[in-house]
Amino acid sequence: MRKKLSLLATAATAALLLAGCSGGDTAGTGTSDAPAATGPFAVASDVSLTGSPTYDAMKSADKVVIGVKEDQPGLGFLDATTGERSGFDIEIAEWVAASLGFAKDKIEYKAIPSANRESAIVNGDIDYYVGTYSITDKRKEQIDFAGPYFITGQGLLVAADDDSIKSENDLAGKTVCSATGSTPLQNIVANFPDTKTNSFDTYSQCVEALKDGQTDAVTTDQAILLGYASQDPDNLKVVGEPFSVENYGVGLPKGDDALRGFINDMFTNGNDSWQAIYDETLGQSGTVVEQPKVDAY
């Protein structure tokens, strides 16, 4: 019997499995006469969305450009050998595209480092961003968010043989690494004044720095860290409990209320699709969560 856990506990546990999402026929928002896409949703036809300059640009270009992460197992991961992308965030990104009428072959992915996400959206380099993107008031000064579509919390990754760090209470005098510009890094700087920090463009670089002894811990969302630990359990482990709450949203151009409302409606009305995506990616751990309610600000 599957045990129902809190969102934070589930997010932390679920990322251990790196499975991608298989096909299905659960429809998302919009008319769905077209063949099913790669996930549990169909590509919508006759999409009705007016007043969105971002959507108009997509239609004109006959493609959608999505910013993603590609070094986060279970969430947003690119297999360098096969070229296949997998993970919960990738399936959410494709669900949004399908609801807007774009099949997988009309998607162009761009890997964007955490520090460059806002500028990529503001400059029009991407149409939207899906990649463990925490909704914050500071970011909402430059961009907008649809969602949240997932909730997790900040955690710590350390060397498997390191018993000196058991939680965030043991960080005084230690050096902690995170992605440049990320919310977890900002949290350490603001709230742990006795802790040193270093940063790189990607979390995978922080993980390598940890293995090389250049840093004592890596911090980001615990769901992400468990993915890394599961890849190298002999050398890495996650310690403690989540010590923040992070709400993942879809990053959008500021002021595109029509697109934000459309995606929020998709999330609100598409629980079956959301649940299928979760169950076939992060939910393979056997846990159950409820889809979070969107913040329709």
Side-chain angles (χ1 to χ4, degrees):
M1 179 180 293
R2 302 210 295 181
K3 181 178 179 182
K4 187 165 185 175
L5 304 177
S6 68
L7 279 171
L8 289 181
T10 300
T13 304
L16 284 168
L17 293 196
L18 314 181
C21 194
S22 61
D25 58 3
T26 304
T29 300
T31 305
S32 52
D33 297 329
T38 56
F41 40 77
V43 178
S45 60
D46 301 324
V47 175
S48 177
L49 175 56
T50 59
S52 170
T54 309
Y55 175 69
D56 291 343
M58 295 180 204
K59 292 291 288 183
S60 179
D62 194 30
K63 68 176 182 179
V64 54
V65 183
I66 310 174
V68 295
K69 294 290 183 66
E70 55 185 29
D71 65 333
Q72 296 177 348
L75 291 158
F77 186 74
L78 175 65
D79 188 315
T81 301
T82 65
E84 292 292 324
R85 296 182 186 272
S86 63
F88 181 73
D89 282 342
I90 296 300
E91 297 298 333
I92 292 291
E94 292 186 2
W95 180 25
V96 173
S99 294
L100 291 167
F102 295 92
K104 188 174 180 178
D105 62 358
K106 297 292 185 179
I107 296 175
E108 177 185 342
Y109 287 107
K110 286 190 177 182
I112 307 292
S114 294
N116 299 337
R117 290 179 292 197
E118 284 91 299
S119 61
I121 295 171
V122 171
N123 295 336
D125 299 330
I126 57 177
D127 296 312
Y128 58 87
Y129 189 97
V130 186
T132 60
Y133 202 5
S134 296
I135 301 171
T136 69
D137 289 338
K138 183 177 180 180
R139 287 171 176 163
K140 284 162 69 173
E141 293 174 1
Q142 298 185 65
I143 65 168
D144 278 325
F145 286 97
Y149 63 87
F150 197 61
I151 301 174
T152 184
Q154 186 170 349
L156 293 169
L157 181 75
V158 301
D161 60 357
D162 184 357
D163 294 325
S164 67
I165 301 176
K166 295 181 173 63
S167 74
E168 74 276 13
N169 298 319
D170 302 318
L171 294 180
K174 302 292 187 178
T175 301
V176 178
C177 186
S178 194
T180 304
S182 67
T183 303
L185 182 65
Q186 295 167 14
N187 185 29
I188 296 296
V189 171
N191 298 306
F192 297 82
D194 297 327
T195 302
K196 303 174 185 177
T197 62
N198 52 11
S199 63
F200 296 96
D201 285 343
T202 65
Y203 294 117
S204 58
Q205 290 174 289
C206 282
V207 174
E208 290 305 312
L210 176 61
K211 292 180 179 180
D212 293 340
Q214 299 175 29
T215 194
D216 297 308
V218 178
T219 188
T220 184
D221 302 338
Q222 198 175 77
I224 299 170
L225 298 178
L226 278 166
Y228 288 120
S230 70
Q231 287 187 316
D232 193 3
D234 292 336
N235 295 300
L236 301 171
K237 66 181 179 181
V238 174
V239 295
E241 298 295 329
F243 53 98
S244 73
V245 176
E246 307 297 336
N247 294 276
Y248 290 168
V250 178
L252 304 169
K254 185 75 173 176
D256 197 332
D257 295 341
L259 181 58
R260 179 165 53 87
F262 182 93
I263 297 173
N264 277 339
D265 286 345
M266 182 201 79
F267 287 140
T268 300
N269 299 324
N271 178 258
D272 288 347
S273 291
W274 184 94
Q275 196 64 57
I277 290 170
Y278 179 83
D279 289 346
E280 295 177 21
T281 53
L282 297 180
Q284 288 291 307
S285 62
T287 56
V288 178
V289 300
E290 293 181 1
Q291 178 185 359
K293 182 179 179 181
V294 303
D295 178 16
Y297 64 90

